[in-house]
Amino acid sequence: MKDARLVTGHVSTVDQAHAASSRPRVFRRLLRNPAGLASLIFLVVISLAAVFAPLIMPHDPATIDIHAVLASPDATHWLGTDGSGRDVLSRLIAGGLVSLTAAALAVGVAAAIGIPSGLIAGYYGGFFADGATWIVNLLMALPGIVVLLAVRSVLGPSLWISMAIFGILMSPAFFRLVYAAVRSARSELFVEAAMVSGLRDSAIIARHVLGAVRGPIIVQTAILASITLAIQAGLGFLGFDDSTVPSWGGVLTDAFANIYRQPQLIIWPSIIIALTSVAFALLGNALRDELGRTTTRRRGAKGQVEQTSVTRSASLTPLEPGVLLRVAGLRIGYPNSDGMAEVVRGIDLEITRGSVHGLIGESGSGKTQTAWAILGLLPSTARVFAGSIQFDDVDLLDRSAVSGVRGRRIAYIPQEPISNLDPSFTVGSQLIEPLRSVLRMSKRQAIARSLELLARVGISDPERTFHSYPHEISGGMAQRVLIAGAVASNPDLLIADEPTTALDVTVQAEVLDLLREIQQDSGLSILLVTHNLGVVADICDHVSVMKTGQIVETGPVEQIFNHPSHEYTRELFGSLIDEDDVRPTPEPSPSRSDLAVTR
């Protein structure tokens, strides 16, 4: 626990360092996002033009010239004039401030009502949540246009009042989104840990809960801003705004009234409204993506800092002859309310060349975490804070190094084969893709290699399977496809994570025979992660038994199965039904004919 606290303290220090620079980093990454940069530039230009409209407008937008009514574009009026002889370009520039401010008013009112109420209702629940939900349902049931007409009849035509009322009517969009996200985040362990640490509810909501829902809020704000611009233009058709005040909706209304006499007038306000709406949506999505990517990279950076420190402290030494992989003192943990929960607790593991090594244990013992650590596929929240993983002369805790051998010298067979094939693409296209991207084969070479592999794994009609979609093949065939993809690069190490769990007994035996045949033909090493003792007895040479993150016993299969020394191993074998041979195949190999589980 002392080590866990030290790691937690180290992570906290990294968090503080990254938090201090998160905003500049997000902005820099946003500037490198093409869609985000383009939309940001466009909105900045539009906003600056609106703010500095009096300085850049070529004419007074309110000046009426009866001699230039509906004039075509010329050197004096670049976009022509409207039905009253007013300069269209000047009215669009001046109307930008009104339209953007009106949109900001509506979105601001909606956010000011919906976000705080959603946060409080989602965090506390109870009577406030019930009352707020009732009010939200009432607002959603109200016909918006009828409400706006009623307000206009009482208060007169005012764009600002109309948009403020529209903001109130839009507030349920924020409330429902935030309420659902907060209810989900409220049950997370990090929120409970913050409560136990003594933070006030306001601090928890502002620092933890709000951070978890900021992405959806940003996207929703951008969407509502786009909608509000269109609604503001539509309100002009209905006479909700003041015709003496220039706005994009007013320019559009005048253009529509004169569409038969000067049809090009409707183009300019339509383009500016459409482009601004699209820019809001693109900027919101880009900002959401960069915020999420920064968080992921920040978490990854913490893990990288810790893994790098471990790598430097554990200098690599040449492996003994015949040893392909060595795991030494590996410790993996995840943050929880107590600081750090270890799931792998200082294990040692060696895999020799050309052998099949079984890793067995009950669910939750740390088998898959160990396999993911070897593959470099641990989640960003995982922390490797001790130990080393050495594959030949490659340090697998170095992310850049593991990416160079994964998919080439180290391959992986996951469980649940159908779920690991993309239903949108054919089997062949999914086999070809890694061959072309990783092994740099041409398309013709990749197709030929894929068909050869499908035949090698025992598929009777490789052509048909190659052109089939995953739902058109059986689970056993899907597993064979995954095996074909795994051995395509002629790897030195194959990690199979529960490769027969989702298959029936007959297909399990066929897949095991296939793995044994491939292993014997190519001489590769296999790390078999499973809790099926029969599978281990049938195919493995050595076995390691894991319990609660530790390897309690390692040795040859015959020795472990016939003479287990650890109590947990005996309990594991004792859980089998009496008189039941652990081997699934009816004809065991001669070298292991006497292998059976003894109580």
Side-chain angles (χ1 to χ4, degrees), residues 170 199 202 219:
M170 286 198 306
L199 288 180
S202 58
V219 175

Side-chain angles (χ1 to χ4, degrees), residues 269-443:
S270 300
I271 289 177
I272 195 68
I273 293 172
L275 289 179
T276 306
S277 299
V278 171
F280 273 125
L282 290 178
L283 181 62
N285 280 278
L287 184 57
R288 186 273 314 273
D289 292 343
E290 299 310 326
L291 282 171
R293 192 174 304 171
T294 300
T295 301
T296 301
R297 287 177 175 255
R298 184 173 67 211
R299 291 176 178 176
K302 290 186 287 186
Q304 182 65 36
V305 169
E306 293 166 357
Q307 292 188 14
T308 303
S309 64
V310 171
T311 302
R312 291 176 180 175
S313 64
S315 58
L316 296 180
T317 58
L319 297 177
E320 294 78 6
V323 176
L324 178 66
L325 175 76
R326 180 176 63 194
V327 179
L330 181 65
R331 296 175 59 199
I332 303 173
Y334 287 85
N336 69 355
S337 57
D338 296 325
M340 189 70 68
E342 287 190 61
V343 296
V344 176
R345 304 161 60 190
I347 67 168
D348 297 318
L349 179 67
E350 281 191 352
I351 299 178
T352 58
R353 298 179 185 273
S355 68
V356 181
H357 196 112
L359 189 59
I360 65 173
E362 60 191 8
S363 298
S365 60
K367 307 185 302 298
T368 299
Q369 295 294 320
T370 302
W372 284 353
I374 297 172
L375 290 162
L377 297 178
L378 286 172
S380 59
T381 53
R383 306 288 180 266
V384 179
F385 46 87
S388 64
I389 305 177
Q390 185 174 349
F391 175 76
D392 269 353
D393 57 349
V394 179
D395 181 4
L396 296 185
L397 291 182
D398 184 344
R399 295 191 177 187
S400 60
V402 71
S403 63
V405 297
R406 186 176 58 219
R408 295 173 175 86
R409 299 187 59 197
I410 301 179
Y412 178 57
I413 301 176
Q415 53 182 311
E416 299 183 3
I418 292 293
S419 301
N420 284 277
L421 292 173
D422 193 327
S424 302
F425 300 95
T426 63
V427 169
S429 63
Q430 296 180 65
L431 287 175
I432 287 174
E433 183 179 6
L435 292 175
R436 300 195 66 187
S437 60
V438 177
L439 301 183
R440 304 299 181 184
M441 290 185 178
S442 66
K443 185 175 182 180

Side-chain angles (χ1 to χ4, degrees), residues 42-92:
F42 179 83
L43 292 175
V44 168
V45 170
I46 290 294
S47 301
L48 290 176
V51 172
F52 296 102
L55 302 178
I56 62 177
M57 288 186 303
H59 302 279
D60 185 349
T63 300
I64 297 176
D65 185 358
I66 59 175
H67 300 290
V69 173
L70 298 177
S72 299
D74 55 24
T76 304
H77 303 286
W78 291 1
L79 300 183
T81 61
D82 63 8
S84 299
R86 297 170 295 191
D87 183 65
V88 172
L89 177 60
S90 300
R91 288 184 64 79
L92 285 175

Side-chain angles (χ1 to χ4, degrees), residues 218-297:
I218 290 172
V219 175
Q220 187 78 319
T221 301
I223 292 175
L224 290 182
S226 302
I227 293 174
T228 305
L229 276 176
I231 293 297
Q232 184 270 329
L235 292 177
F237 282 98
L238 303 175
F240 284 88
D241 58 352
D242 188 350
S243 60
T244 62
V245 179
S247 66
W248 291 344
V251 177
L252 185 63
T253 302
D254 186 87
F256 187 78
N258 296 282
I259 191 171
Y260 294 110
R261 301 174 60 189
Q262 201 67 277
Q264 83 275 0
L265 288 179
I266 204 169
I267 297 176
W268 318 122
S270 300
I271 289 177
I272 195 68
I273 293 172
L275 289 179
T276 306
S277 299
V278 171
F280 273 125
L282 290 178
L283 181 62
N285 280 278
L287 184 57
R288 186 273 314 273
D289 292 343
E290 299 310 326
L291 282 171
R293 192 174 304 171
T294 300
T295 301
T296 301
R297 287 177 175 255

Side-chain angles (χ1 to χ4, degrees), residues 25 40 54 68 135 150 221 242 278 303 306 439 450 491 493 498 510 544:
R25 183 183 297 108
L40 180 62
I135 294 174
T221 301
D242 188 350
V278 171
E306 293 166 357
L439 301 183
S450 298
L493 175 63
E498 303 282 5
E510 295 175 354
S544 295

Side-chain angles (χ1 to χ4, degrees), residues 435-510:
L435 292 175
R436 300 195 66 187
S437 60
V438 177
L439 301 183
R440 304 299 181 184
M441 290 185 178
S442 66
K443 185 175 182 180
R444 178 175 297 179
Q445 291 174 329
I447 293 175
R449 175 64 170 162
S450 298
L451 293 174
E452 175 190 344
L453 289 168
L454 291 176
R456 182 184 180 187
V457 297
I459 294 179
S460 57
D461 191 350
E463 286 277 357
R464 181 180 180 278
T465 303
F466 183 89
H467 295 289
S468 298
Y469 285 88
H471 70 273
E472 297 176 321
I473 62 177
S474 65
M477 292 181 67
Q479 190 65 283
R480 292 174 184 269
V481 168
L482 293 180
I483 294 174
V487 301
S489 60
N490 295 317
D492 297 315
L493 175 63
L494 178 63
I495 298 178
D497 186 4
E498 303 282 5
T500 60
T501 298
L503 307 176
D504 58 59
V505 176
T506 303
V507 179
Q508 282 186 22
E510 295 175 354

